[in-house]
Amino acid sequence: MSITPVPRVAVIVVAAGSGTRLGAPAPKAFVGLDEHTILRHALRGVFEGPTAQVVVVAPAGREGDALTDALEAAGDARDLATVVVGGTTRQDSVAAGLRALWGDIDIVLVHDAARALTPPAVFSRVIAAVAAGTDGVLPVLPVVDTIKRVAGSSVVEGVDRSQLAAAQTPQGFRRDVLEAAYAVADREYTDDAALVAAAGHSVTTVAGDARSFKITTPDDLERARTTLRPVEPSRATIERDTPAPRIGIGTDVHAYGHEGTLWLAGLEWPGERALAGHSDGDAVAHAIVDAVLAAAGLGDIGTHFGTDKPEYAGAHADAFLARTRSLVGEAGYRIANVSVQVQANRPRMSSRCREAEAVLSGALGGAAVSLSATTTDGLGFTGRGEGVAAYAVAMLIPA
Ligand code: CTP
Ligand code: MG
């Protein structure tokens, strides 16, 4: 046979085994890996590339299931699919596949359905090597383990692993070579490469792939299923990729000494001495603004509400807090909670703490606000009644 410039390739996928070692209730090829069977996975990619025919060799009675998988994998190339029934041995099944080949096929690849996760690149390598003029091509992996020849439990000798290779499929052949070798085969060979070599043809190797491992035992099945399972991100990855909550601290101090009534914690306090300041001197609101901005890494109150912003002259807590909330919102955060403590002799805050919390929370878009107050036992400027200090901590969470 002369190989045409664009050789026509058939892939025989042998799937007629019962899977004795797997021990599943169904023949091995129809065991599910995910929502798809082993056979369906094995056929993935087989219809792509230069394939002119795909012969699926099925167990007797499962031709319909095999055809379903084949047509699903074929997509638009459904005309390329042929299903035949296999034989008692793998060799018989390959022979059945060979009998179903169309007349114009030049190159035949024989592939185990059980090697369900074989990457398409392996098919390409095998086809290219046969098309380049080799009788037979075998994908192999180097043997990594140290190999021993043993007799029962005794070690006889070491075997030089550099001379060894693990054989995989798809194995590719010129069609005439494979058919001739099958015609003269008078015993069972472990694979097609061995059968072809025994008939006097040369077989060369190309690189196989670890993913082409054969699903033989329940452990292999688990390995294949694990390979296909979507990778759950590890806890470390989640923590790295998820923006963390952020906290910030803010403090403010104002001296008494302004005209008018006191504004503190968003409330007006009739009869109390007012605090001095560019705005209303509300140290509680200002400490909260600093804490929230610090948590978001957005600077401080001077950055956004400095004396260069006349619109905030005389402004009350609601204006500062609403603007602060929208600044951190633009930065991708939501204010989870704010805790603020006032140090002052006056006003006596405890009776209005809940009222103040409601006002501050409203201005912050519903963030939980807790407010407490303390005196300093007569010590420091607050103890001497010179002014008010406020300390705030804010927690932001990614919006
Ligand atoms: N095969 C086949 N016909 C057979 C025996 C095997 O088509 N009579 C196929 C299997 O379906 C499989 C491939 O040859 O895709 C490799 O064989 P193996 O992994 O041994 O599968 P089984 O023979 O099904 O498994 P077991 O030997 O454990 O029974
Ligand atoms: Mg077998």
Side-chain angles (χ1 to χ4, degrees):
M1 184 201 78
S2 68
I3 295 199
T4 48
V6 182
R8 292 178 54 83
V9 178
V11 182
I12 298 174
V13 179
V14 283
S18 56
T20 323
R21 286 167 288 178
L22 190 61
K28 183 158 77 179
F30 300 99
V31 171
L33 289 184
D34 44 19
E35 71 272 28
H36 295 309
T37 63
I38 287 178
L39 175 59
R40 172 73 179 75
H41 276 281
L43 292 170
R44 187 185 300 270
V46 168
F47 285 89
E48 290 154 22
T51 314
Q53 187 186 8
V54 176
V55 182
V56 180
V57 186
R62 302 305 290 251
E63 305 92 307
D65 296 327
L67 187 62
T68 303
D69 275 343
L71 294 182
E72 214 182 282
D76 292 342
R78 52 193 299 142
D79 292 350
L80 308 188
T82 308
V83 174
V84 297
V85 175
T88 337
T89 66
R90 183 184 182 280
Q91 202 162 307
D92 293 338
S93 295
V94 175
L98 283 173
R99 287 193 293 275
L101 289 180
W102 293 330
D104 58 356
I105 296 298
D106 304 308
I107 290 175
V108 181
L109 269 57
V110 183
H111 185 48
D112 291 337
R115 298 183 190 273
L117 305 184
T118 302
V122 179
F123 287 84
S124 306
R125 283 201 284 276
V126 172
I127 292 169
V130 184
T134 319
D135 287 350
V137 174
L138 172 70
V140 293
L141 276 189
V143 173
V144 290
D145 291 319
T146 295
I147 304 292
K148 306 285 186 189
R149 195 181 313 282
V150 295
S153 58
S154 304
V155 175
V156 178
E157 60 181 351
V159 180
D160 179 6
R161 72 172 168 229
S162 67
Q163 295 181 355
L164 302 176
Q168 300 184 323
T169 72
Q171 299 178 3
F173 308 92
R174 279 175 38 195
R175 177 192 186 156
D176 57 346
V177 166
L178 187 60
E179 284 182 335
Y182 263 82
V184 298
D186 51 4
R187 65 173 181 89
E188 286 293 316
Y189 293 90
T190 49
D191 64 1
D192 306 291
L195 185 149
V196 164
H201 301 281
S202 64
V203 178
T204 59
T205 64
V206 292
D209 193 295
R211 288 164 288 183
S212 302
F213 71 93
K214 185 158 71 73
I215 301 169
T216 306
T217 64
D219 280 350
D220 299 326
L221 182 66
E222 193 45 43
R223 178 179 168 196
R225 286 177 172 164
T226 306
T227 307
L228 290 170
R229 211 168 284 145
V231 181
E232 302 259 324
S234 70
R235 201 178 164 75
T237 311
I238 293 170
E239 280 167 8
R240 193 196 59 216
D241 294 348
T242 308
R246 298 179 58 129
I247 60 165
I249 186 168
T251 69
D252 196 32
V253 166
H254 281 285
Y256 296 112
H258 206 263
E259 296 298 307
T261 41
L262 171 70
W263 281 84
L264 190 65
L267 301 180
E268 189 173 12
W269 301 77
E272 297 284 348
R273 289 173 67 200
L275 293 164
H278 166 58
S279 60
D280 63 357
D282 187 337
V284 169
H286 300 174
I288 293 174
V289 169
D290 265 354
V292 171
L293 292 174
L298 291 175
D300 62 16
I301 195 163
T303 318
H304 301 280
F305 307 94
T307 46
D308 58 328
K309 303 264 167 46
E311 64 272 29
Y312 291 105
H316 294 305
D318 52 352
F320 285 86
L321 297 178
R323 174 75 186 130
T324 302
R325 175 194 160 208
S326 72
L327 285 168
V328 299
E330 286 160 20
Y333 289 99
R334 185 169 69 76
I335 305 165
N337 80 302
V338 170
S339 171
V340 55
Q341 187 174 47
V342 180
Q343 287 183 3
N345 290 348
R346 294 206 59 82
R348 289 295 201 207
M349 299 193 66
S350 54
S351 63
R352 299 186 70 190
C353 272
R354 300 295 86 80
E355 186 190 346
E357 285 170 355
V359 168
L360 296 168
S361 170
L364 289 171
V369 175
S370 42
L371 174 67
S372 60
T374 185
T375 55
T376 55
D377 208 14
L379 298 172
F381 70 89
T382 54
R384 291 189 298 273
E386 294 165 11
V388 169
Y391 304 90
V393 174
M395 163 81 79
L396 306 188
I397 50 181

